[in-house]
Amino acid sequence: MFRKILKNTLIYSIAPYIPSFANLLILPLITKELTEVDYGISGTIIAYTSALSALSVLGLSVILNNSFFHNPNRYKYIWRQIYGFLILWNLVYSIILGVFLFIFMPEAAIENRMLIVLLNTLPIAFFGPTNFIGTTYYTLKQNALPIGIRTAIFGLLAVLLNLVFILKFKLGYMGWFYTNFIVGVLTNVSYWYVLNRKLDVTPIYRFKFKTIKNSLTISLPLLPHQYSYYLLSGSERLVMDQLKINTGKIGEFNIASTFSNYVANFAQAGSTAIGPVLMNLYKENKYKKARDVVFLYLTGLLVFNFIISLWIKEIFYLLINNETLRNTYDIAIILIMSVSFTPLFVGYFNLLTYNQKTKNIWRITFIAGLICIILNLIFLQYYGVIFSAIAIYISNIYRGLSGYYLKSFKSVSDFKYYPELWILLIIVSSIIVFYIKDIDVIMKVCLTIIALVVSLLIVLFKHKLIFKFANRK
């Protein structure tokens, strides 16, 4: 089991990191052609598109997951109905998104407004949820390779296209939108062929109304939860724009969050790989073993984030050829360490989802997002864009902790997860790495070796350092 988790995690994380690494290598080239305003425009438009993204699948991913595990002999029939419904719904959604973007287009991008709207909406209108359903299928089958291959190939293509559009044709921020359009279309085409030709998961447009109604009854309460991802990782740029924060300052935050997104992708890879494993363990009533998997995930991600944060200053100065942008590494540290709370959320979310006790999850995640927005509205103008990173950090603490106090969680879990101790450990680690971010390289090398040795010992000795106390109910 551990080997399978490790293998899938590596594929899910290494595959996107192949193009990400290539993208990092070209940063010294393209940052000469880009300004903080370009990054600000891109980040602001992404924030506005993300504001509606949760509506694209209406939370129906939970139905795909549950039908796969609970109805293994007829899940494709359920999927085909959802596929057909979502294709029709995405026609409506693409129009809503287009109008939204047209109205809230940043002033600095007004001259390209209509083109940006079309580049963002046409793939949705033509392909609907094809990419989403194809990815879900391979994820639940615990077959990470097809996803990894696509991610690597199309990611590298995106890097090449960015070089062409930004470096050769000097298109600035528009280069990113042209690239995303081309790569988005090709990715959807690749999954369309698999779903419709190989797996025979063709959309049923004359779906059963009762099936869709029952599915939406379960999935729609999760929309606030899914929307909270935007509130936690995109709304701050929307708030900045509405508060008339300088576009260049938004760009500074955006470049810092770009690096933290690489780490978030790694964490998401772990969550994606671990999810089906946890579901199978729950199915076999191995709840203690599932809890131990979450603990292992927590340990590995915390060590990884600590090391990346420790070296982020050197990474920025090596890769960013812009003095203003490279000095945002302190913001990146806060954002990167905030990702360390992700496994705590995974610990209760997967268990509650498997037992179909999702009624109260949306409250936690939505409130976490509201905390982020409210803190930004109150303090952003006084403390600058670095406070947005602090707001995200605080919100992630709430999201990672609160689920363990739900009655629904306590009713299905007989084992303690000790979230308070994990929260304290992550906070202390974050404070330490932030205050030692400017120490000399030799000291950083020593601390890195110590962190790696400790994490290796935890794995070699079967995680006894982590589980010795927690193994008691």
Side-chain angles (χ1 to χ4, degrees):
M1 181 193 67
F2 175 75
R3 289 181 179 178
K4 194 164 192 177
I5 292 175
L6 183 60
K7 175 187 173 183
N8 286 346
T9 301
L10 287 174
I11 293 175
Y12 285 129
S13 56
I14 289 177
Y17 271 81
I18 292 173
S20 295
F21 181 69
N23 208 27
L24 288 174
L25 292 180
I26 70 169
L27 271 180
L29 298 175
I30 66 172
T31 49
K32 291 190 298 184
E33 305 294 335
L34 297 167
T35 66
E36 58 269 27
V37 175
D38 287 309
Y39 278 97
I41 292 171
S42 174
T44 302
I45 292 174
I46 289 173
Y48 280 112
T49 55
S50 300
L52 295 180
S53 61
L55 295 177
S56 63
V57 295
L58 298 174
L60 288 169
S61 58
V62 68
I63 305 301
L64 299 182
N65 292 346
N66 285 345
S67 62
F68 182 87
F69 287 105
H70 293 291
N71 301 284
N73 296 323
R74 63 185 298 268
Y75 77 91
K76 284 188 178 181
Y77 179 63
I78 298 173
W79 282 31
R80 291 176 62 205
Q81 295 185 72
I82 292 174
Y83 193 4
F85 168 75
L86 284 178
I87 285 178
L88 298 177
W89 163 247
N90 271 256
L91 292 173
V92 178
Y93 168 71
S94 62
I95 295 173
I96 296 172
L97 177 61
V99 172
F100 190 75
L101 283 178
F102 190 87
I103 294 173
F104 293 102
M105 188 66 59
E107 186 175 342
I110 288 295
E111 60 180 345
N112 294 309
R113 176 162 59 181
M114 199 62 219
L115 183 55
I116 291 173
V117 169
L118 291 174
L119 291 174
N120 278 279
T121 57
L122 286 179
I124 298 171
F126 278 105
F127 293 101
T130 301
N131 185 353
F132 160 70
I133 294 178
T135 303
T136 301
Y137 172 80
Y138 284 122
T139 299
L140 296 179
K141 281 289 186 178
Q142 299 184 50
N143 185 8
L145 191 59
I147 298 175
I149 291 174
R150 285 173 171 80
T151 303
I153 292 175
F154 293 125
L156 288 173
L157 176 62
V159 172
L160 178 61
L161 291 174
N162 280 331
L163 272 176
V164 172
F165 290 133
I166 296 173
L167 194 60
K168 180 176 176 58
F169 293 110
K170 315 291 184 184
L171 293 177
Y173 66 88
M174 282 303 299
W176 287 316
F177 293 110
Y178 285 120
T179 294
N180 291 339
F181 172 78
I182 294 171
V183 171
V185 169
L186 293 177
T187 303
N188 273 292
V189 168
S190 73
Y191 279 115
W192 184 93
Y193 177 79
V194 171
L195 288 175
N196 289 269
R197 293 292 181 263
K198 288 189 173 183
L199 301 177
D200 199 29
V201 181
T202 54
I204 296 177
Y205 296 105
R206 298 182 66 180
F207 45 79
K208 292 183 179 179
F209 178 77
K210 184 178 180 180
T211 298
I212 300 301
K213 181 182 177 182
N214 291 339
S215 297
L216 291 174
T217 300
I218 297 173
S219 69
L220 287 179
L222 288 175
L223 267 185
H225 154 67
Q226 295 182 348
Y227 187 69
S228 71
Y229 287 109
Y230 161 73
L231 297 180
L232 283 171
S233 61
S235 66
E236 69 285 337
R237 276 158 282 197
L238 187 150
V239 173
M240 291 177 194
D241 184 59
Q242 291 299 311
L243 292 178
K244 308 302 179 185
I245 300 296
N246 182 273
T247 304
K249 290 295 182 183
I250 299 176
E252 292 176 23
F253 181 88
N254 198 48
I255 190 68
S257 65
T258 297
F259 280 81
S260 69
N261 285 341
Y262 292 144
V263 175
N265 288 340
F266 181 82
Q268 182 58 45
S271 301
T272 302
I274 287 173
V277 174
L278 292 177
M279 291 292 190
N280 282 322
L281 290 174
Y282 300 146
K283 187 176 182 180
E284 297 169 3
N285 290 319
K286 297 179 179 179
Y287 288 93
K288 177 178 175 294
K289 197 168 186 178
R291 191 274 313 271
D292 292 350
V293 169
V294 174
F295 282 4
L296 177 62
Y297 182 23
L298 271 161
T299 306
L301 187 61
L302 178 57
V303 173
F304 178 80
N305 289 349
F306 184 91
I307 293 174
I308 294 297
S309 298
L310 185 64
W311 289 96
I312 198 67
K313 178 181 179 180
E314 287 72 19
I315 294 172
F316 267 51
Y317 273 73
L318 177 65
L319 297 175
I320 299 178
N321 195 7
N322 181 303
E323 193 64 31
T324 300
L325 295 175
R326 66 170 38 159
N327 287 320
T328 60
Y329 65 90
D330 54 344
I331 299 175
I333 291 175
I334 301 172
L335 292 172
I336 289 170
M337 292 305 295
S338 72
V339 177
S340 303
F341 299 106
T342 299
L344 281 172
F345 172 74
V346 169
Y348 68 79
F349 176 77
N350 280 279
L351 183 57
L352 291 176
T353 299
Y354 177 79
N355 288 280
Q356 300 187 43
K357 294 181 178 294
T358 59
K359 182 179 179 180
N360 293 315
I361 293 179
W362 72 269
R363 297 178 184 176
I364 292 175
T365 52
F366 193 69
I367 289 173
L370 287 180
I371 290 172
C372 187
I373 288 182
I374 292 170
L375 289 175
N376 274 307
L377 287 172
I378 296 174
F379 297 107
L380 180 60
Q381 289 182 304
Y382 298 101
Y383 297 102
V385 295
I386 193 173
F387 186 82
S388 286
I390 297 173
I392 290 172
Y393 190 96
I394 294 172
S395 300
N396 275 311
I397 292 176
Y398 175 84
R399 189 181 72 139
L401 181 63
S402 298
Y404 294 96
Y405 294 97
L406 292 175
K407 290 182 180 178
S408 54
F409 176 80
K410 294 178 180 179
S411 68
V412 295
S413 176
D414 294 326
F415 296 95
K416 294 183 179 180
Y417 281 70
Y418 303 98
E420 300 88 354
L421 295 178
W422 285 106
I423 293 286
L424 180 61
L425 178 60
I426 295 170
I427 292 175
V428 171
S429 299
S430 302
I431 293 173
I432 291 173
V433 76
F434 187 85
Y435 280 100
I436 65 174
K437 62 183 182 296
D438 296 316
I439 62 175
D440 61 76
V441 172
I442 295 177
M443 286 296 296
K444 289 188 177 184
V445 171
C446 294
L447 287 172
T448 301
I449 293 173
I450 292 172
L452 289 173
V453 169
V454 170
S455 60
L456 181 62
L457 287 175
I458 291 174
V459 174
L460 291 177
F461 290 101
K462 300 181 180 179
H463 331 308
K464 289 182 180 179
L465 294 177
I466 297 295
F467 303 139
K468 183 178 180 180
F469 175 69
N471 280 339
R472 294 175 294 179
K473 290 186 181 181

